[in-house]
Amino acid sequence: MKRLQRLKQSIEKLRQKHFKSRPFPAQKGENLAKKNPPQPLHKYDWLNRLHKSKSIRTLHPPLMWGLTVISLTSVIGYRFYNQPQLSVGTVSPVKVVAPKDNEFIDEKTTEEKRKEVRTGIIPILQTDPKLSSELQIDLMETIAEINQFREQVGVFPFVNGGLIPTAIQQYLRSVDEKTWQTIKLASVDKEWEPTPNLQPITVKAVDWLKIYGNKTSPATLKELLQKIQQSRQSYSGVRREVFNTKTSNLTPESWEKLLNLDESSWQTTRTTMRTTLSRILSQGLPAGMPDYLLSAVITNQLQAAPPSVPKTTINQLLTKILQNQHNLTVDKDATKQRAEQAAQAMKPAIVEVKAGDVIVEAGEEITQEIFVVLDGFQLSRRGINWVGLGISAAVVMGTVTVFCVVTNQVHRPMRRRDHILLCLLSLSTPILGIFHLGYTNLPAVGLLTSSFYGPTLAVTQVLLLSGLSAFAAPTINWSYILAGTAGGLLAASIAWKLRSRDELACLGGAVGLLQGSLYFIGYLIVAPVAGTIWSVVLPEAIIYGLSGIAWSVMALGISPYLERLFDLVTPIRLVELANPNCALLKRLATETPGTFQHTLFVACLAEAAARELHCNVELIRAGTLYHDIGKMHDPMGFIENQMGNPNKHDLINDPWVSVEIIKKHVSEGLVMANKYGLPRVIRDFIPEHQGTLLISYFYYQAKQDAERNQTEMIAEEYFRYAGPVPQSRETGIVMLADGCEAALRSLKEATPETALAMIQKIFKARWRDNQLKDSGIKYEELPIIAEVFVKVWQQFHHQRIVYPKAALEPQNNKPN
């Protein structure tokens, strides 16, 4: 009873707050609907605000367009403010004579010549001890391999060359088996006579063996034949094995020369190979040397070698070892220092003129040298180039118009602060160009615009800004513009769909890699000397790539401040807002648990529909979680939070008071949203999810009271939400999900067909009430949304098996 009395007291205070002139309870027969009924209290009267701001909204787009054109033109056309009329390439209308003696430094020509020196300097090379050592080790391994094969073959020659010539001994070891058997039998046959089909060298070999046997003895000859037989077997095996080694590309003749060398000649050959390689490496072996030139270098080094050395074989071996190898590398620091010294050592280009000399004749075309003298004497007629400034204004107007057309096609209406931010981002790029930094901020512009407004606007802005930058600074290096544009396009096309800071950091690395690579490739085309690529161009490309990473990091750092200052959201910010540990969501879950559960179910419905219609799922998730935060102002005024307690509105028994409590959850929600700094796109869900819907329960209650008391009819507008109706597809989907949540939750045993029919009925009511007219949702999409809602409802209320009663009772396991 005490609890009921306290509730009545609080209701009395609330009633007196809204209707001070009316006693509680209302007297029977009292006129509840006078000619001037009490007006609903709305701290945020959206309809009035929209009406008052109509003229401002009409004026806003052209005003921002004009300010943007003026701002960009003033920056893009800076070079026309003090431009000489008598510039290079123009024709002088009059004859100009030098007023006095003087000399002038031609800065432009001087810098161009110094740039040519920097990029055209021959690189300084240095020998790399590590590479030289690797090549020497390779030769030593090859020599050891040959030595191993020589040991497998055995000692050669078999006997002194005076007894049997070395050439004959070589033939005996390498001849085919059939011929060897013929020679072997003939050498011990005293009556042997040569046949016509035998080769002359075979006959000579038989004769020499017989001579050897006559000089020694038959037994000694037999021992020699056995030694040759063993050597032949070893020699045949080595020849088969050698073709699987690193020296297998040697010709058979070269191999025979190496294997048939006597020990003394082999030692000399080894020494010659090591000495030759050492001399070549000490002189330096550059990268990319062709084989024919390498062979010529080796041949030149072998000219002083002893006659017993097989020079051709050594040339083949060393060519194979040194092929595609080098031990000379570019000394980057020394090359850069020499290039800078050479550039600074170049004397400035000076133009001298004497008093009375004709600088330019009337009708003569002005060259760079003539312009330097005219400008030095202040005779170049500097001033504002109105024609150039007008062209700049025309280019800027066309660019801004294209951007506005794209904006109107792909983006919802923008606020003044959106136009200001886009204008500031666009101004930043040409302003940097004025200072000739050489590092464009297009990656940062693309990343920020893509995160805030989507990829289409970002790509359009990057392309237009790159064109304006090229127009504003025609002398800028095209490698900078192309590489910067590529980095900006990459950031613009990907940043909008990234959901974490780590992913954005990886994107910054990719932007830097792309910028550096394109800058390097661009210079490969124009670099006059290939050697400067590694010493000059590559470091600059690395620095330019790092600048892309730096701009990305800067964009990541400044993004949270821009979000707060310009009331924007990024996908990452939406994910953060949807975190249930946020202070406002924790309050919602604690103070209004029923509303929080209602919010979660609405979020499930809305997210599923958003995915099906390709809407912004992150925005719907975050907006839905905050759409009913205003119910925390009076939790017991909403049935989902009463949890079996008496219905507050039954105790009030006054539809005028009840409707104010219901409507107030919108206005109070906006107050809380502003207090906690929620972005505008999230705040929009609070009024738009209710639109201008009729609070039908209390409207019909008030209507019945009026009919019962025979008073004037009640106007619907006093029982409708203040609006506005949904202005985006996302808020429209949430309105539909919010309207279906209670109806779907009440279904327990219904079929999907019943649920679908009820949802379609709700949708048709919203459509007929013009609640979705500004949302962008088409009538054809309503059945799709309805089917999605039914699927989600089925997931929440799926069937479960009924457990037997015995399975739910505890089991008593008694011991036997």
Side-chain angles (χ1 to χ4, degrees):
M1 293 297 294
K2 292 182 179 180
R3 183 176 181 182
L4 184 60
Q5 290 177 357
R6 287 197 299 269
L7 182 58
K8 286 184 177 181
Q9 291 174 0
S10 63
I11 293 173
E12 175 64 24
K13 291 180 181 179
L14 179 63
R15 182 183 179 86
Q16 291 177 1
K17 178 180 178 181
H18 290 282
F19 306 102
K20 293 183 178 180
S21 62
R22 300 181 60 186
F24 180 79
Q27 297 295 326
K28 187 175 182 179
E30 183 180 355
N31 186 359
L32 295 177
K34 297 180 180 179
K35 292 184 179 180
N36 296 314
Q39 297 295 320
L41 302 177
H42 299 298
K43 187 170 184 178
Y44 294 88
D45 193 340
W46 287 90
L47 294 175
N48 292 335
R49 290 178 63 190
L50 288 172
H51 177 74
K52 292 177 181 178
S53 63
K54 184 176 180 180
S55 60
I56 298 177
R57 290 178 181 273
T58 304
L59 182 63
H60 167 226
L63 177 63
M64 292 307 303
W65 182 89
L67 290 176
T68 303
V69 169
I70 293 173
S71 302
L72 280 174
T73 302
S74 63
V75 177
I76 296 295
Y78 78 97
R79 60 192 174 99
F80 298 111
Y81 296 151
N82 189 31
Q83 193 174 54
Q85 297 182 17
L86 301 179
S87 58
V88 177
T90 60
V91 177
S92 176
V94 294
K95 178 181 179 181
V96 182
V97 179
K100 60 181 179 179
D101 297 347
N102 209 334
E103 61 180 26
F104 304 97
I105 298 177
D106 188 347
E107 299 287 351
K108 182 178 179 181
T109 304
T110 301
E111 186 57 33
E112 288 178 354
K113 290 183 177 180
R114 287 177 176 173
K115 186 176 181 180
E116 291 178 0
V117 170
R118 291 190 186 98
T119 56
I121 194 71
I122 298 176
I124 297 176
L125 303 177
Q126 61 181 356
T127 57
D128 190 331
K130 182 179 179 181
L131 294 176
S132 299
S133 176
E134 290 176 356
L135 292 173
Q136 288 175 341
I137 292 173
D138 196 5
L139 175 62
M140 295 302 297
E141 290 177 352
T142 304
I143 292 174
E145 193 174 61
I146 297 172
N147 221 18
Q148 181 181 358
F149 290 144
R150 283 176 55 85
E151 291 177 357
Q152 291 179 15
V153 171
V155 179
F156 186 83
F158 313 116
V159 295
N160 189 284
L163 296 175
I164 300 176
T166 304
I168 296 298
Q169 295 185 57
Q170 293 175 356
Y171 174 73
L172 292 173
R173 186 162 67 170
S174 59
V175 73
D176 61 89
E177 184 63 23
K178 183 178 179 181
T179 305
W180 162 246
Q181 293 297 331
T182 301
I183 295 173
K184 184 178 178 182
L185 295 173
S187 63
V188 295
D189 188 357
K190 295 181 179 181
E191 298 179 356
W192 178 83
E193 292 293 337
T195 59
N197 61 340
L198 291 178
Q199 296 180 0
I201 190 171
T202 304
V203 177
K204 286 184 180 181
V206 174
D207 292 341
W208 278 107
L209 286 173
K210 287 186 174 185
I211 293 171
Y212 178 78
N214 294 333
K215 287 183 179 181
T216 57
S217 65
T220 305
L221 176 60
K222 187 177 180 180
E223 291 178 0
L224 175 61
L225 292 175
Q226 291 177 351
K227 184 185 294 185
I228 294 174
Q229 179 66 34
Q230 294 175 356
S231 180
R232 280 176 53 81
Q233 294 175 355
S234 301
Y235 185 80
S236 178
V238 167
R239 287 195 64 180
R240 286 194 303 268
E241 184 180 355
V242 80
F243 286 102
N244 298 321
T245 64
K246 63 178 65 178
T247 54
S248 60
N249 66 330
L250 288 176
T251 62
E253 293 79 7
S254 299
W255 257 110
E256 289 178 2
K257 287 181 180 179
L258 290 174
L259 294 177
N260 293 331
L261 289 174
D262 59 62
E263 190 62 27
S264 176
S265 299
W266 167 240
Q267 295 297 332
T268 305
T269 301
R270 289 197 305 179
T271 304
T272 301
M273 285 192 291
R274 287 195 294 263
T275 304
T276 302
L277 179 63
S278 179
R279 289 175 181 173
I280 293 174
L281 295 178
S282 63
Q283 292 178 358
L285 186 66
M289 179 179 285
D291 292 347
Y292 74 90
L293 186 57
L294 178 61
S295 178
V297 171
I298 297 172
T299 301
N300 187 49
Q301 293 291 339
L302 291 173
Q303 286 181 355
S308 60
V309 170
K311 297 180 182 179
T312 303
T313 302
I314 294 176
N315 195 320
Q316 290 181 0
L317 268 176
L318 293 182
T319 300
K320 181 183 182 303
I321 292 173
L322 299 178
Q323 191 176 29
N324 299 324
Q325 300 292 336
H326 68 280
N327 73 325
L328 287 180
T329 57
V330 178
D331 190 341
K332 297 179 182 179
D333 294 335
T335 301
K336 188 175 182 180
Q337 184 178 4
R338 174 184 283 183
E340 194 61 35
Q341 289 174 352
Q344 296 302 325
M346 177 175 286
K347 295 181 180 180
I350 297 177
V351 182
E352 296 183 358
V353 65
K354 300 292 184 181
D357 289 350
V358 177
I359 301 174
V360 62
E361 294 284 354
E364 182 182 357
E365 184 177 349
I366 297 175
T367 62
Q368 175 64 23
E369 184 178 349
I370 295 174
F371 172 74
V372 170
V373 178
L374 289 175
D375 206 42
F377 283 125
Q378 298 182 356
L379 300 175
S380 59
R381 302 182 183 180
R382 286 188 175 273
I384 297 178
N385 184 350
W386 293 104
V387 175
L389 205 57
I391 294 174
S392 299
V395 172
V396 170
M397 283 191 290
T399 301
V400 175
T401 302
V402 170
F403 186 78
C404 290
V405 170
V406 175
T407 301
N408 292 333
Q409 292 294 325
V410 302
H411 201 277
R412 61 190 297 182
M414 288 198 173
R415 307 161 297 168
R416 285 185 295 276
R417 62 181 66 190
D418 295 323
H419 285 105
I420 291 173
L421 176 59
L422 289 171
C423 181
L424 292 176
L425 290 176
S426 301
L427 283 171
S428 64
T429 300
I431 287 176
L432 290 175
I434 293 177
F435 297 101
H436 304 289
L437 296 180
Y439 303 108
T440 176
N441 69 333
L442 289 176
V445 173
L447 192 151
L448 290 172
T449 305
S450 179
S451 299
F452 295 151
Y453 304 107
T456 305
L457 280 187
V459 169
T460 304
Q461 186 180 30
V462 169
L463 290 174
L464 295 176
L465 284 179
S466 63
L468 288 178
S469 300
F471 173 80
T475 59
I476 194 172
N477 191 329
W478 279 94
S479 297
Y480 287 111
I481 294 181
L482 293 177
T485 302
L489 290 176
L490 178 63
S493 58
I494 295 179
W496 67 279
K497 56 184 177 182
L498 302 185
R499 299 294 182 265
S500 68
R501 308 287 180 185
D502 292 339
E503 291 177 343
L504 287 173
C506 293
L507 174 61
V511 167
L513 181 62
L514 179 63
Q515 282 198 173
S517 301
L518 289 182
Y519 179 86
F520 182 72
I521 293 172
Y523 254 104
L524 285 180
I525 301 173
V526 300
V529 179
T532 60
I533 293 173
W534 308 108
S535 58
V536 178
V537 180
L538 184 59
E540 292 183 0
I542 293 174
I543 293 174
Y544 196 69
L546 292 176
S547 73
I549 298 176
W551 282 118
S552 301
V553 171
M554 184 177 294
L556 288 175
I558 199 175
S559 177
Y561 300 100
L562 295 179
E563 291 172 12
R564 291 286 184 178
L565 185 61
F566 291 92
D567 192 18
L568 296 166
V569 292
T570 61
I572 295 176
R573 179 82 189 283
L574 291 174
V575 172
E576 293 172 349
L577 288 171
N579 188 339
N581 289 320
C582 290
L584 197 52
L585 294 182
K586 290 175 72 174
R587 278 191 57 194
L588 183 67
T590 304
E591 299 177 16
T592 56
T595 299
F596 186 69
Q597 294 301 320
H598 154 79
T599 297
L600 294 180
F601 190 33
V602 172
C604 292
L605 294 172
E607 282 185 49
R611 290 191 180 91
E612 191 70 24
L613 298 184
H614 306 289
C615 297
N616 191 330
V617 177
E618 287 77 15
L619 177 59
I620 278 193
R621 181 186 301 119
T624 307
L625 291 176
Y626 291 93
H627 80 285
D628 270 346
I629 58 174
K631 291 183 179 180
M632 287 190 287
H633 87 282
D634 190 357
M636 298 303 294
F638 302 90
I639 192 169
E640 67 264 21
N641 298 310
Q642 292 172 3
M643 299 181 183
N645 291 317
N647 192 325
K648 183 175 182 177
H649 299 287
D650 292 341
L651 299 176
I652 295 175
N653 195 26
D654 189 334
W656 293 94
V657 177
S658 295
V659 79
E660 288 304 317
I661 295 175
I662 299 300
K663 293 166 71 173
K664 199 173 182 181
H665 90 274
V666 172
S667 58
E668 289 297 326
L670 290 170
V671 172
M672 292 182 185
N674 281 307
K675 179 180 178 181
Y676 282 85
L678 295 182
R680 179 189 63 85
V681 291
I682 301 298
R683 298 198 302 268
D684 287 346
F685 281 84
I686 298 174
E688 291 180 19
H689 88 278
Q690 295 291 3
T692 58
L693 287 173
L694 177 67
I695 307 174
S696 56
Y697 181 86
F698 295 112
Y699 167 70
Y700 288 113
Q701 183 180 357
K703 190 176 180 181
Q704 290 173 1
D705 290 345
E707 292 175 352
R708 185 170 55 252
N709 297 321
Q710 298 181 352
T711 57
E712 295 182 5
M713 295 300 295
I714 304 297
E716 282 189 6
E717 61 182 290
Y718 300 115
F719 286 84
R720 285 187 177 272
Y721 287 100
V725 296
Q727 301 295 305
S728 67
R729 291 164 63 86
E730 287 78 12
T731 54
I733 290 173
V734 173
M735 168 183 272
L736 297 175
D738 186 70
C740 295
E741 184 272 339
L744 288 174
R745 191 181 291 274
S746 64
L747 298 177
K748 299 299 182 182
E749 302 298 333
T751 63
E753 291 76 14
T754 305
L756 182 61
M758 184 176 58
I759 292 173
Q760 290 175 343
K761 182 179 179 180
I762 295 172
F763 283 8
K764 289 179 181 178
R766 298 289 188 270
W767 186 267
R768 292 195 188 101
D769 201 20
N770 292 323
Q771 298 298 318
L772 302 174
K773 62 179 181 178
D774 297 333
S775 66
I777 297 177
K778 301 177 182 178
Y779 187 78
E780 296 79 11
E781 293 174 326
L782 293 181
I784 300 175
I785 300 174
E787 291 179 1
V788 172
F789 284 1
V790 171
K791 289 180 182 179
V792 175
W793 169 76
Q794 288 179 299
Q795 294 168 5
F796 272 81
H797 297 284
H798 56 81
Q799 296 293 327
R800 300 298 297 268
I801 63 172
V802 179
Y803 285 90
K805 183 177 180 181
L808 302 176
E809 295 179 355
Q811 299 295 325
N812 296 323
N813 297 323
K814 296 181 179 181
N816 293 329

